[in-house]
Amino acid sequence: MSSAKKAVKGDPARDVKIRPASAEDIPSIVELDEVATGHAKPEYWLQLFEHFSREHVERHAFLVATIDDRVVGFITGEIRPFEFGAEVCGWVFALNVDPQMRVHNVGTRLFDEICKIFARAGVAKVRTLIERDNHLVMAFFRSQGMMVGRFIGMEKDID
Amino acid sequence: MKLQKATMCGLYAVLELAAHPDLQISAGEIAEKYDISLNHLAKVLRSLVRARLIESVRGAGGGYRFCANPKRVTLLDVIELFEDVVPNPQQTASSDHWESRTLHKVLADLDDIAVSTLRSVSIMTLLKVMEKERRSVERASARGGAHPAPVEGD
């Protein structure tokens, strides 16, 4: 089905705008994250935003999706050289969409945009880590064409 | 992971029908395309109809049609109709030996990953991956080069 056929009047996906996050967006980002994770982390998001805005801005991406100027989703990621012995690649480490706005391509638009940023920086691969039980997010990244990569996450409890 | 023959038939049928949601496809056409026994496929199709993934269309030009939401139906949904792939936690807990319990934990890790993978791949996602692979092969053929190696999957 063509995108023209898909877009119907009142479809929120038509009004989604993607832009770099600003300091004023942090409360909305904290709220979206809290809805998804159950934990409010205002300091974490503020520090991350400041770090991304200050240092190596060419390697960092912090984007928000808005509908009618309201933040309905965000994505963050960065380009890490030779992390874990791998080639330079883009890492997505947070993606969140307002549950009311899901299935309207907000996540896809955010993911597409961050991939474009990575590609413009010369990166040819994007990676992320997903908790095994997080079926919703895993299904989303699968639908974007992501497959299980060469790396396996490992962990242990430290005695 | 090795899937049973009925499961594979079910997956083939679902993928074939979901790829052509506007068409009614006969059991004979599916059996011929995937080189499977029509009798065997008929049983599989009945299971898929009962699960409301496909529906039977009667009359001239009749056949089967995909009637579920391909974005919502996962590989696990289809596989579970034909075999049990979700690990049984009792198996680990009930063992008498530490060796056995520890080994089962490792095996349970593998099962968990397999189940998570199957649960995360929708029929729509799989169709998209197939289409991408098909285009990639066609582009390579058009360039006159060798076929690309299959994408490393999971």
Side-chain angles (χ1 to χ4, degrees), chain A residues 62-125:
Chain A
F62 200 151
L63 307 173
V64 292
T66 64
I67 293 177
D68 297 333
D69 294 327
R70 187 171 74 85
V71 174
V72 295
F74 68 90
I75 192 166
T76 61
E78 69 177 327
I79 295 167
R80 293 178 183 169
F82 312 116
E83 195 87 42
F84 307 115
E87 73 280 20
V88 177
C89 72
W91 283 87
V92 171
F93 50 75
L95 169 63
N96 217 312
V97 175
D98 181 343
Q100 304 292 319
M101 292 297 156
R102 282 181 191 155
V103 200
H104 291 294
N105 284 337
V106 175
T108 300
R109 294 274 311 276
L110 285 164
F111 185 69
D112 283 349
E113 199 56 40
I114 205 165
C115 285
K116 282 182 197 162
I117 291 172
F118 291 154
R120 281 200 294 271
V123 166
K125 196 177 281 288

Short mmCIF file of all heavy atoms in Angstrom, two decimals, chain A residues 62-125:
data_model
loop_
_atom_site.label_atom_id
_atom_site.label_comp_id
_atom_site.label_asym_id
_atom_site.label_seq_id
_atom_site.Cartn_x
_atom_site.Cartn_y
_atom_site.Cartn_z
N PHE A 62 20.16 13.21 19.96
CA PHE A 62 19.09 13.21 20.96
C PHE A 62 17.91 13.91 20.28
O PHE A 62 17.90 15.13 20.14
CB PHE A 62 19.54 13.95 22.22
CG PHE A 62 18.73 13.63 23.46
CD1 PHE A 62 19.31 13.70 24.72
CD2 PHE A 62 17.41 13.26 23.39
CE1 PHE A 62 18.60 13.41 25.87
CE2 PHE A 62 16.67 12.96 24.52
CZ PHE A 62 17.27 13.03 25.76
N LEU A 63 16.95 13.15 19.83
CA LEU A 63 15.85 13.69 19.02
C LEU A 63 14.52 13.49 19.73
O LEU A 63 14.34 12.54 20.49
CB LEU A 63 15.78 12.96 17.67
CG LEU A 63 17.06 12.91 16.83
CD1 LEU A 63 16.84 12.00 15.62
CD2 LEU A 63 17.46 14.31 16.39
N VAL A 64 13.61 14.41 19.45
CA VAL A 64 12.25 14.24 19.96
C VAL A 64 11.29 14.24 18.77
O VAL A 64 11.56 14.84 17.73
CB VAL A 64 11.83 15.34 20.96
CG1 VAL A 64 12.61 15.22 22.25
CG2 VAL A 64 11.95 16.72 20.35
N ALA A 65 10.15 13.57 18.97
CA ALA A 65 9.05 13.62 18.01
C ALA A 65 7.95 14.44 18.66
O ALA A 65 7.64 14.25 19.84
CB ALA A 65 8.54 12.21 17.72
N THR A 66 7.38 15.37 17.90
CA THR A 66 6.30 16.19 18.46
C THR A 66 5.07 16.12 17.56
O THR A 66 5.18 15.94 16.34
CB THR A 66 6.72 17.67 18.60
OG1 THR A 66 6.97 18.21 17.30
CG2 THR A 66 7.95 17.83 19.47
N ILE A 67 3.94 16.25 18.20
CA ILE A 67 2.67 16.43 17.48
C ILE A 67 2.02 17.65 18.10
O ILE A 67 1.82 17.69 19.33
CB ILE A 67 1.75 15.19 17.60
CG1 ILE A 67 2.38 14.00 16.87
CG2 ILE A 67 0.37 15.49 17.04
CD1 ILE A 67 1.58 12.71 16.98
N ASP A 68 1.74 18.63 17.29
CA ASP A 68 1.19 19.91 17.79
C ASP A 68 2.05 20.45 18.93
O ASP A 68 1.53 20.86 19.99
CB ASP A 68 -0.26 19.71 18.29
CG ASP A 68 -1.17 19.29 17.16
OD1 ASP A 68 -0.88 19.63 15.99
OD2 ASP A 68 -2.17 18.60 17.44
N ASP A 69 3.35 20.43 18.74
CA ASP A 69 4.33 20.94 19.71
C ASP A 69 4.38 20.15 21.02
O ASP A 69 5.04 20.57 21.97
CB ASP A 69 4.06 22.43 20.02
CG ASP A 69 4.29 23.30 18.80
OD1 ASP A 69 5.17 22.94 17.98
OD2 ASP A 69 3.57 24.30 18.64
N ARG A 70 3.72 19.04 21.08
CA ARG A 70 3.80 18.21 22.29
C ARG A 70 4.76 17.05 22.02
O ARG A 70 4.66 16.40 20.97
CB ARG A 70 2.42 17.66 22.64
CG ARG A 70 2.37 16.92 23.96
CD ARG A 70 0.93 16.60 24.34
NE ARG A 70 0.35 15.53 23.55
CZ ARG A 70 0.49 14.22 23.83
NH1 ARG A 70 1.20 13.85 24.89
NH2 ARG A 70 -0.07 13.30 23.07
N VAL A 71 5.68 16.82 22.97
CA VAL A 71 6.65 15.74 22.79
C VAL A 71 5.94 14.40 22.98
O VAL A 71 5.34 14.15 24.04
CB VAL A 71 7.82 15.88 23.79
CG1 VAL A 71 8.76 14.67 23.70
CG2 VAL A 71 8.60 17.16 23.51
N VAL A 72 5.98 13.55 21.94
CA VAL A 72 5.29 12.25 22.01
C VAL A 72 6.28 11.09 21.90
O VAL A 72 5.87 9.92 21.95
CB VAL A 72 4.21 12.12 20.92
CG1 VAL A 72 3.09 13.11 21.14
CG2 VAL A 72 4.82 12.27 19.54
N GLY A 73 7.56 11.41 21.77
CA GLY A 73 8.54 10.34 21.70
C GLY A 73 9.94 10.91 21.63
O GLY A 73 10.13 12.10 21.36
N PHE A 74 10.90 10.07 21.92
CA PHE A 74 12.29 10.52 21.82
C PHE A 74 13.20 9.34 21.52
O PHE A 74 12.82 8.17 21.72
CB PHE A 74 12.74 11.24 23.10
CG PHE A 74 12.85 10.35 24.32
CD1 PHE A 74 14.04 9.71 24.62
CD2 PHE A 74 11.76 10.15 25.15
CE1 PHE A 74 14.15 8.89 25.74
CE2 PHE A 74 11.85 9.33 26.27
CZ PHE A 74 13.04 8.69 26.56
N ILE A 75 14.37 9.67 21.03
CA ILE A 75 15.38 8.63 20.76
C ILE A 75 16.74 9.23 21.05
O ILE A 75 16.97 10.43 20.81
CB ILE A 75 15.28 8.13 19.29
CG1 ILE A 75 16.11 6.86 19.07
CG2 ILE A 75 15.73 9.20 18.29
CD1 ILE A 75 15.79 6.14 17.77
N THR A 76 17.62 8.41 21.61
CA THR A 76 18.99 8.88 21.84
C THR A 76 19.96 7.83 21.34
O THR A 76 19.66 6.63 21.37
CB THR A 76 19.29 9.13 23.33
OG1 THR A 76 19.13 7.89 24.02
CG2 THR A 76 18.40 10.18 23.92
N GLY A 77 21.08 8.30 20.90
CA GLY A 77 22.10 7.37 20.45
C GLY A 77 23.41 8.09 20.20
O GLY A 77 23.47 9.32 20.23
N GLU A 78 24.42 7.30 20.00
CA GLU A 78 25.72 7.91 19.73
C GLU A 78 26.58 6.99 18.89
O GLU A 78 26.35 5.78 18.83
CB GLU A 78 26.44 8.28 21.02
CG GLU A 78 26.90 7.11 21.84
CD GLU A 78 27.68 7.55 23.07
OE1 GLU A 78 28.37 8.58 23.00
OE2 GLU A 78 27.58 6.87 24.10
N ILE A 79 27.56 7.59 18.27
CA ILE A 79 28.52 6.83 17.48
C ILE A 79 29.69 6.50 18.39
O ILE A 79 30.28 7.40 19.00
CB ILE A 79 28.98 7.65 16.26
CG1 ILE A 79 27.78 7.87 15.34
CG2 ILE A 79 30.12 6.94 15.54
CD1 ILE A 79 28.02 8.92 14.28
N ARG A 80 29.96 5.24 18.50
CA ARG A 80 31.07 4.81 19.37
C ARG A 80 32.12 4.10 18.52
O ARG A 80 31.80 3.10 17.85
CB ARG A 80 30.57 3.86 20.45
CG ARG A 80 29.65 4.52 21.44
CD ARG A 80 29.19 3.48 22.44
NE ARG A 80 28.25 4.04 23.37
CZ ARG A 80 27.54 3.31 24.22
NH1 ARG A 80 27.66 2.01 24.23
NH2 ARG A 80 26.70 3.89 25.04
N PRO A 81 33.33 4.61 18.56
CA PRO A 81 34.38 3.95 17.77
C PRO A 81 34.97 2.76 18.52
O PRO A 81 35.33 2.87 19.69
CB PRO A 81 35.42 5.06 17.59
CG PRO A 81 35.19 6.01 18.72
CD PRO A 81 33.79 5.83 19.22
N PHE A 82 35.04 1.64 17.85
CA PHE A 82 35.75 0.46 18.35
C PHE A 82 35.24 -0.04 19.70
O PHE A 82 35.99 -0.62 20.47
CB PHE A 82 37.26 0.75 18.42
CG PHE A 82 37.76 1.37 17.16
CD1 PHE A 82 38.27 2.66 17.16
CD2 PHE A 82 37.65 0.69 15.95
CE1 PHE A 82 38.70 3.24 15.99
CE2 PHE A 82 38.06 1.28 14.78
CZ PHE A 82 38.60 2.56 14.78
N GLU A 83 33.96 0.22 19.97
CA GLU A 83 33.39 -0.30 21.21
C GLU A 83 33.34 -1.82 21.15
O GLU A 83 32.94 -2.39 20.14
CB GLU A 83 31.98 0.26 21.37
CG GLU A 83 31.38 0.11 22.74
CD GLU A 83 31.74 1.27 23.64
OE1 GLU A 83 31.73 2.42 23.18
OE2 GLU A 83 32.05 1.00 24.80
N PHE A 84 33.75 -2.49 22.21
CA PHE A 84 33.77 -3.96 22.29
C PHE A 84 34.56 -4.58 21.12
O PHE A 84 34.27 -5.69 20.68
CB PHE A 84 32.34 -4.53 22.25
CG PHE A 84 31.44 -3.92 23.29
CD1 PHE A 84 30.35 -3.15 22.91
CD2 PHE A 84 31.68 -4.10 24.64
CE1 PHE A 84 29.52 -2.57 23.85
CE2 PHE A 84 30.85 -3.53 25.58
CZ PHE A 84 29.77 -2.76 25.19
N GLY A 85 35.52 -3.85 20.63
CA GLY A 85 36.34 -4.39 19.55
C GLY A 85 35.66 -4.36 18.19
O GLY A 85 36.17 -4.90 17.22
N ALA A 86 34.48 -3.74 18.14
CA ALA A 86 33.75 -3.71 16.87
C ALA A 86 34.17 -2.51 16.03
O ALA A 86 34.89 -1.63 16.51
CB ALA A 86 32.25 -3.62 17.14
N GLU A 87 33.73 -2.52 14.80
CA GLU A 87 33.95 -1.36 13.94
C GLU A 87 33.12 -0.19 14.47
O GLU A 87 32.24 -0.37 15.31
CB GLU A 87 33.56 -1.71 12.49
CG GLU A 87 32.06 -1.81 12.23
CD GLU A 87 31.42 -3.13 12.65
OE1 GLU A 87 31.99 -3.85 13.50
OE2 GLU A 87 30.33 -3.39 12.16
N VAL A 88 33.40 0.99 13.95
CA VAL A 88 32.63 2.17 14.36
C VAL A 88 31.16 1.92 14.00
O VAL A 88 30.85 1.50 12.89
CB VAL A 88 33.12 3.43 13.62
CG1 VAL A 88 32.27 4.63 14.00
CG2 VAL A 88 34.58 3.69 13.94
N CYS A 89 30.29 2.13 14.97
CA CYS A 89 28.87 1.96 14.66
C CYS A 89 28.02 2.89 15.50
O CYS A 89 28.50 3.48 16.47
CB CYS A 89 28.43 0.50 14.84
SG CYS A 89 28.32 -0.01 16.54
N GLY A 90 26.78 3.03 15.10
CA GLY A 90 25.85 3.87 15.85
C GLY A 90 25.09 3.01 16.85
O GLY A 90 24.63 1.93 16.51
N TRP A 91 25.01 3.48 18.07
CA TRP A 91 24.26 2.76 19.11
C TRP A 91 22.99 3.53 19.44
O TRP A 91 23.06 4.74 19.71
CB TRP A 91 25.08 2.61 20.38
CG TRP A 91 26.14 1.56 20.30
CD1 TRP A 91 27.41 1.69 19.84
CD2 TRP A 91 26.00 0.19 20.73
NE1 TRP A 91 28.07 0.50 19.94
CE2 TRP A 91 27.23 -0.44 20.48
CE3 TRP A 91 24.96 -0.56 21.29
CZ2 TRP A 91 27.45 -1.78 20.77
CZ3 TRP A 91 25.18 -1.88 21.58
CH2 TRP A 91 26.42 -2.49 21.32
N VAL A 92 21.88 2.85 19.44
CA VAL A 92 20.64 3.47 19.94
C VAL A 92 20.47 2.94 21.35
O VAL A 92 20.43 1.73 21.56
CB VAL A 92 19.43 3.05 19.07
CG1 VAL A 92 18.13 3.51 19.72
CG2 VAL A 92 19.56 3.66 17.68
N PHE A 93 20.44 3.83 22.32
CA PHE A 93 20.26 3.30 23.67
C PHE A 93 19.01 3.78 24.39
O PHE A 93 18.81 3.43 25.55
CB PHE A 93 21.52 3.45 24.53
CG PHE A 93 22.13 4.79 24.56
CD1 PHE A 93 21.56 5.82 25.29
CD2 PHE A 93 23.29 5.04 23.86
CE1 PHE A 93 22.14 7.05 25.32
CE2 PHE A 93 23.87 6.28 23.88
CZ PHE A 93 23.30 7.29 24.61
N ALA A 94 18.18 4.52 23.74
CA ALA A 94 16.85 4.80 24.31
C ALA A 94 15.91 5.17 23.18
O ALA A 94 16.26 5.95 22.29
CB ALA A 94 16.93 5.92 25.33
N LEU A 95 14.74 4.60 23.24
CA LEU A 95 13.68 4.95 22.28
C LEU A 95 12.36 4.79 23.02
O LEU A 95 12.12 3.75 23.63
CB LEU A 95 13.71 4.00 21.07
CG LEU A 95 12.50 4.10 20.13
CD1 LEU A 95 12.40 5.47 19.48
CD2 LEU A 95 12.56 3.04 19.06
N ASN A 96 11.59 5.82 23.00
CA ASN A 96 10.35 5.78 23.74
C ASN A 96 9.26 6.56 23.02
O ASN A 96 9.53 7.63 22.49
CB ASN A 96 10.57 6.41 25.12
CG ASN A 96 9.79 5.69 26.18
OD1 ASN A 96 8.61 5.43 25.98
ND2 ASN A 96 10.45 5.37 27.27
N VAL A 97 8.07 5.99 23.00
CA VAL A 97 6.94 6.66 22.34
C VAL A 97 5.74 6.63 23.29
O VAL A 97 5.49 5.61 23.95
CB VAL A 97 6.59 5.95 21.01
CG1 VAL A 97 5.34 6.58 20.38
CG2 VAL A 97 7.75 6.03 20.03
N ASP A 98 5.05 7.73 23.35
CA ASP A 98 3.82 7.82 24.14
C ASP A 98 2.90 6.66 23.75
O ASP A 98 2.59 6.49 22.56
CB ASP A 98 3.15 9.17 23.79
CG ASP A 98 1.86 9.39 24.57
OD1 ASP A 98 1.32 8.42 25.12
OD2 ASP A 98 1.41 10.56 24.61
N PRO A 99 2.48 5.83 24.71
CA PRO A 99 1.64 4.67 24.38
C PRO A 99 0.41 5.04 23.56
O PRO A 99 -0.06 4.25 22.74
CB PRO A 99 1.24 4.11 25.74
CG PRO A 99 2.30 4.58 26.69
CD PRO A 99 2.78 5.90 26.16
N GLN A 100 -0.11 6.24 23.77
CA GLN A 100 -1.30 6.67 23.01
C GLN A 100 -0.99 6.88 21.53
O GLN A 100 -1.89 6.93 20.69
CB GLN A 100 -1.84 8.01 23.57
CG GLN A 100 -2.16 7.98 25.04
CD GLN A 100 -3.36 7.09 25.32
OE1 GLN A 100 -4.32 7.09 24.57
NE2 GLN A 100 -3.28 6.30 26.39
N MET A 101 0.29 7.09 21.23
CA MET A 101 0.69 7.43 19.86
C MET A 101 1.35 6.27 19.13
O MET A 101 1.88 6.44 18.03
CB MET A 101 1.65 8.63 19.88
CG MET A 101 1.02 9.90 20.31
SD MET A 101 -0.26 10.37 19.13
CE MET A 101 -1.29 11.40 20.15
N ARG A 102 1.37 5.09 19.78
CA ARG A 102 2.02 3.96 19.12
C ARG A 102 1.20 3.50 17.92
O ARG A 102 0.01 3.79 17.84
CB ARG A 102 2.19 2.81 20.12
CG ARG A 102 3.39 3.11 21.03
CD ARG A 102 3.65 2.03 22.03
NE ARG A 102 4.64 2.54 22.99
CZ ARG A 102 4.76 2.10 24.22
NH1 ARG A 102 3.99 1.17 24.68
NH2 ARG A 102 5.68 2.62 25.01
N VAL A 103 1.84 2.79 17.04
CA VAL A 103 1.25 2.31 15.79
C VAL A 103 0.91 3.49 14.86
O VAL A 103 0.04 3.41 14.02
CB VAL A 103 -0.01 1.43 16.02
CG1 VAL A 103 -0.29 0.56 14.79
CG2 VAL A 103 0.17 0.53 17.22
N HIS A 104 1.57 4.61 15.05
CA HIS A 104 1.39 5.74 14.13
C HIS A 104 2.71 6.16 13.53
O HIS A 104 2.90 7.33 13.18
CB HIS A 104 0.73 6.91 14.86
CG HIS A 104 -0.69 6.65 15.22
ND1 HIS A 104 -1.69 6.49 14.28
CD2 HIS A 104 -1.29 6.49 16.42
CE1 HIS A 104 -2.83 6.26 14.89
NE2 HIS A 104 -2.62 6.24 16.19
N ASN A 105 3.66 5.24 13.50
CA ASN A 105 4.95 5.48 12.86
C ASN A 105 5.85 6.47 13.57
O ASN A 105 6.84 6.92 12.99
CB ASN A 105 4.77 5.95 11.41
CG ASN A 105 4.39 4.80 10.50
OD1 ASN A 105 4.69 3.65 10.82
ND2 ASN A 105 3.72 5.10 9.41
N VAL A 106 5.51 6.86 14.80
CA VAL A 106 6.38 7.81 15.52
C VAL A 106 7.75 7.18 15.76
O VAL A 106 8.79 7.79 15.48
CB VAL A 106 5.74 8.24 16.87
CG1 VAL A 106 6.69 9.13 17.65
CG2 VAL A 106 4.41 8.95 16.63
N GLY A 107 7.75 5.94 16.24
CA GLY A 107 9.01 5.25 16.50
C GLY A 107 9.81 5.05 15.22
O GLY A 107 11.03 5.23 15.20
N THR A 108 9.11 4.71 14.15
CA THR A 108 9.79 4.51 12.87
C THR A 108 10.43 5.81 12.40
O THR A 108 11.58 5.82 11.92
CB THR A 108 8.77 4.01 11.81
OG1 THR A 108 8.24 2.77 12.28
CG2 THR A 108 9.43 3.80 10.46
N ARG A 109 9.72 6.92 12.52
CA ARG A 109 10.26 8.22 12.09
C ARG A 109 11.50 8.57 12.91
O ARG A 109 12.51 9.06 12.38
CB ARG A 109 9.20 9.31 12.26
CG ARG A 109 7.98 9.17 11.34
CD ARG A 109 8.23 9.81 9.98
NE ARG A 109 8.77 11.16 10.06
CZ ARG A 109 8.04 12.26 10.22
NH1 ARG A 109 6.73 12.18 10.29
NH2 ARG A 109 8.63 13.45 10.29
N LEU A 110 11.43 8.33 14.23
CA LEU A 110 12.59 8.63 15.08
C LEU A 110 13.78 7.75 14.69
O LEU A 110 14.92 8.23 14.57
CB LEU A 110 12.23 8.40 16.55
CG LEU A 110 11.35 9.46 17.22
CD1 LEU A 110 10.75 8.92 18.52
CD2 LEU A 110 12.16 10.73 17.52
N PHE A 111 13.50 6.46 14.51
CA PHE A 111 14.58 5.53 14.17
C PHE A 111 15.19 5.87 12.81
O PHE A 111 16.41 5.87 12.65
CB PHE A 111 14.05 4.10 14.19
CG PHE A 111 15.12 3.07 13.97
CD1 PHE A 111 16.09 2.84 14.94
CD2 PHE A 111 15.16 2.33 12.81
CE1 PHE A 111 17.08 1.89 14.73
CE2 PHE A 111 16.14 1.38 12.60
CZ PHE A 111 17.10 1.16 13.56
N ASP A 112 14.34 6.18 11.84
CA ASP A 112 14.84 6.56 10.51
C ASP A 112 15.75 7.78 10.60
O ASP A 112 16.79 7.84 9.95
CB ASP A 112 13.66 6.90 9.57
CG ASP A 112 12.96 5.66 9.07
OD1 ASP A 112 13.49 4.55 9.27
OD2 ASP A 112 11.87 5.81 8.48
N GLU A 113 15.33 8.73 11.41
CA GLU A 113 16.08 9.98 11.50
C GLU A 113 17.46 9.77 12.15
O GLU A 113 18.46 10.30 11.68
CB GLU A 113 15.27 11.02 12.30
CG GLU A 113 15.70 12.45 12.10
CD GLU A 113 15.69 12.89 10.64
OE1 GLU A 113 14.76 12.52 9.90
OE2 GLU A 113 16.64 13.60 10.25
N ILE A 114 17.49 8.97 13.19
CA ILE A 114 18.78 8.75 13.85
C ILE A 114 19.69 7.93 12.92
O ILE A 114 20.91 8.15 12.88
CB ILE A 114 18.63 8.08 15.25
CG1 ILE A 114 19.84 8.43 16.11
CG2 ILE A 114 18.46 6.58 15.17
CD1 ILE A 114 19.68 8.15 17.58
N CYS A 115 19.10 7.03 12.14
CA CYS A 115 19.91 6.27 11.19
C CYS A 115 20.50 7.20 10.13
O CYS A 115 21.64 7.00 9.69
CB CYS A 115 19.07 5.16 10.53
SG CYS A 115 18.77 3.76 11.61
N LYS A 116 19.71 8.20 9.72
CA LYS A 116 20.23 9.17 8.74
C LYS A 116 21.41 9.94 9.34
O LYS A 116 22.40 10.21 8.65
CB LYS A 116 19.13 10.16 8.35
CG LYS A 116 18.14 9.60 7.36
CD LYS A 116 17.11 10.67 7.00
CE LYS A 116 15.89 10.04 6.37
NZ LYS A 116 14.72 10.92 6.39
N ILE A 117 21.28 10.32 10.60
CA ILE A 117 22.38 11.05 11.26
C ILE A 117 23.64 10.18 11.29
O ILE A 117 24.74 10.62 10.99
CB ILE A 117 21.95 11.48 12.69
CG1 ILE A 117 20.88 12.56 12.59
CG2 ILE A 117 23.15 11.96 13.50
CD1 ILE A 117 20.23 12.92 13.92
N PHE A 118 23.44 8.91 11.67
CA PHE A 118 24.58 7.98 11.70
C PHE A 118 25.19 7.83 10.31
O PHE A 118 26.41 7.84 10.14
CB PHE A 118 24.16 6.61 12.24
CG PHE A 118 23.78 6.59 13.70
CD1 PHE A 118 22.90 5.64 14.19
CD2 PHE A 118 24.31 7.51 14.59
CE1 PHE A 118 22.56 5.59 15.53
CE2 PHE A 118 23.97 7.47 15.94
CZ PHE A 118 23.09 6.52 16.41
N ALA A 119 24.32 7.70 9.32
CA ALA A 119 24.81 7.49 7.95
C ALA A 119 25.58 8.71 7.46
O ALA A 119 26.63 8.58 6.81
CB ALA A 119 23.63 7.20 7.02
N ARG A 120 25.07 9.90 7.79
CA ARG A 120 25.77 11.13 7.36
C ARG A 120 27.15 11.22 8.00
O ARG A 120 28.06 11.82 7.45
CB ARG A 120 24.94 12.37 7.73
CG ARG A 120 23.79 12.64 6.76
CD ARG A 120 23.32 14.07 6.86
NE ARG A 120 22.72 14.37 8.14
CZ ARG A 120 21.42 14.21 8.41
NH1 ARG A 120 20.59 13.76 7.49
NH2 ARG A 120 20.94 14.51 9.59
N ALA A 121 27.28 10.61 9.18
CA ALA A 121 28.58 10.62 9.87
C ALA A 121 29.48 9.50 9.35
O ALA A 121 30.57 9.27 9.88
CB ALA A 121 28.37 10.49 11.37
N GLY A 122 29.00 8.76 8.37
CA GLY A 122 29.83 7.72 7.76
C GLY A 122 29.71 6.35 8.39
O GLY A 122 30.52 5.47 8.13
N VAL A 123 28.70 6.19 9.23
CA VAL A 123 28.53 4.91 9.92
C VAL A 123 27.62 4.00 9.10
O VAL A 123 26.61 4.44 8.57
CB VAL A 123 27.92 5.16 11.33
CG1 VAL A 123 27.43 3.87 11.94
CG2 VAL A 123 28.97 5.81 12.23
N ALA A 124 27.99 2.73 9.02
CA ALA A 124 27.22 1.82 8.15
C ALA A 124 26.40 0.81 8.94
O ALA A 124 25.72 -0.02 8.36
CB ALA A 124 28.17 1.07 7.22
N LYS A 125 26.50 0.85 10.26
CA LYS A 125 25.74 -0.14 11.04
C LYS A 125 25.18 0.50 12.30
O LYS A 125 25.82 1.37 12.89
CB LYS A 125 26.65 -1.32 11.42
CG LYS A 125 25.87 -2.55 11.87
CD LYS A 125 26.77 -3.72 12.18
CE LYS A 125 27.25 -4.47 10.96
NZ LYS A 125 26.20 -5.27 10.31
#
